[in-house]
Amino acid sequence: MTDTHLTWPDTAYEAFTGDLTVAVAYLTPAGGAVVTTVSPVGLANRAANQVSFTTSLGFPKKLERILNNPRVALAYHTRTHGFAAHSHYVLAQGKASVDLQPSAQRLAELMDATEPFLGKTKHGRVWDWLLREYHRERVFVDVGLERITTWPHLSAHGPATVTGPSWPQHPAGQRPPKNGTAPRIPVSQLARRIAALPHRLLAYEGADGSPVILPVTVTGHDETGLRLSAPPELLPPGGRRAGFLAHAFRPQCVGVSMRTVTGWLTVDNGEALYAPHTSVGMAAPPSRTVMTVANGLLAKQGLRRARRNGTTEHLHSLAAGVRPGA
């Protein structure tokens, strides 16, 4: 990809500034992809060709992998509970930078940006103490966009419109892992856990080294894996590491449920089989007050842990370009 400034399509800009929940994919050292959700609260700068989201030092593995390999993708895949009105699926790919020490002004602007999406911020003596780390110790991930692809439907059916470099050919198949490609967790159990989670996405490393995120449908399962369906010709043939995400959320991101999976994808004659290897899930309570308390406590615990075990120092070293052993 190039560093050319992109002219954002209006449909993409509307999704960037209006979607409540977005899928983000980053790459693993083994050539796999992890896909998870964020609420970017409309952080998009058209003039700077940049979209952003925030995270916490309590999730150091995600930050470490992005710092080691900054190529990421964001999928604007659902209009549910957001402000964008059209039905386009938007995939944004680019290179990330991490702001580990955002300015007080940037943090204040974030607070203002969150309220239309997540509701009015709670204040008061107890709330200010509880949420101090959650609000003041945010980490920004800024993504300089290199390609924007839009499809006319959220299912990614229909002709794609590409802004930026053309899509490369499908990536070649990957070498199977040493432990084999078969499922390592019970497939039937995973199928039950995602049954009530309507949004399903698959991520893999594209031929140009950038993650690709595509919407998929689970059409069935057996002991060999999940049977997936996607628009014709979008999934690459052969076998490869891939990430899978299923999630659900309510207005203002209350009651979030998510399951993030890694595994092995095999596509043969247009039929896709996904063998899950790892599975991690979370479910937030459907009460905004309870969720706010939990977020505040988790932020406090995560920051203390990060400082105690050296994570903070390690991430700052990576951000400065210092690698372990250098």
Side-chain angles (χ1 to χ4, degrees):
M1 292 188 184
T2 68
D3 294 327
T4 303
H5 191 284
L6 302 182
T7 300
W8 293 6
D10 289 341
T11 50
Y13 180 71
E14 186 177 345
F16 294 165
T17 56
D19 280 5
L20 176 60
T21 296
V22 172
V24 175
Y26 54 91
L27 300 173
T28 69
V34 176
V35 56
T36 186
T37 61
V38 296
S39 184
V41 296
L43 299 179
N45 187 328
R46 204 170 195 170
N49 191 45
Q50 178 178 284
V51 295
S52 304
F53 61 92
T54 67
T55 185
S56 166
L57 288 172
F59 302 98
K61 182 59 70 175
K62 173 168 62 178
L63 289 169
E64 181 178 1
R65 285 180 169 167
I66 291 174
L67 285 166
N68 278 313
N69 186 340
R71 294 207 173 277
V72 301
L74 300 96
Y76 297 79
H77 64 288
T78 172
R79 305 288 97 87
T80 304
H81 309 313
F83 303 113
H86 63 73
S87 61
H88 289 67
Y89 181 86
V90 182
L91 176 65
Q93 297 166 296
K95 188 176 293 185
S97 61
V98 179
D99 184 359
L100 290 169
Q101 294 181 302
S103 66
Q105 178 181 345
R106 191 172 196 192
L107 290 171
E109 291 171 350
L110 173 65
M111 292 281 287
D112 292 338
T114 62
E115 293 197 349
F117 290 89
L118 305 180
K120 191 170 181 59
T121 303
K122 294 182 179 293
H123 288 291
R125 183 176 178 182
V126 174
W127 286 115
D128 290 345
W129 170 84
L130 178 66
L131 298 174
R132 181 176 56 212
E133 289 79 6
Y134 183 74
H135 289 314
R136 296 182 186 177
E137 302 294 339
R138 303 303 294 172
V139 174
F140 285 77
V141 180
D142 302 311
V143 184
L145 299 188
E146 297 180 332
R147 182 191 289 127
I148 301 171
T149 308
T150 62
W151 286 266
H153 195 275
L154 288 169
S155 65
H157 281 88
T161 300
V162 180
T163 302
S166 299
W167 273 59
Q169 296 295 319
H170 282 313
Q174 295 178 336
R175 180 179 298 177
K178 293 181 179 179
N179 294 333
T181 63
R184 301 175 191 171
I185 60 174
V187 179
S188 58
Q189 183 182 81
L190 175 62
R192 288 195 302 272
R193 286 175 168 171
I194 67 172
L197 306 179
H199 307 296
R200 284 90 179 270
L201 298 149
L202 188 79
Y204 62 90
E205 183 177 2
D208 58 3
S210 291
V212 176
I213 311 172
L214 295 171
V216 293
T217 301
V218 178
T219 60
H221 71 275
D222 57 29
E223 68 279 2
T224 64
L226 300 177
R227 305 285 173 178
L228 304 181
S229 174
E233 307 299 328
L234 285 188
L235 293 180
R240 69 198 65 256
R241 292 175 172 85
F244 176 84
L245 168 69
H247 72 101
F249 59 100
R250 301 185 185 187
Q252 299 183 349
C253 274
V254 173
V256 172
S257 297
M258 179 174 63
R259 185 150 295 273
T260 301
V261 187
T262 65
W264 185 262
L265 172 69
T266 304
V267 179
D268 185 17
N269 291 325
E271 295 186 356
L273 177 68
Y274 186 72
H277 291 171
T278 68
S279 172
V280 177
M282 62 86 66
S287 163
R288 185 166 184 262
T289 298
V290 174
M291 187 179 71
T292 302
V293 171
N295 285 340
L297 293 175
L298 287 172
K300 287 181 180 295
Q301 295 170 359
L303 184 61
R304 292 194 193 104
R305 183 171 59 251
R307 288 172 173 169
R308 185 172 59 247
N309 63 18
T311 295
T312 302
E313 182 179 355
H314 175 62
L315 292 174
H316 278 276
S317 296
L318 288 177
V322 179
R323 294 296 182 263

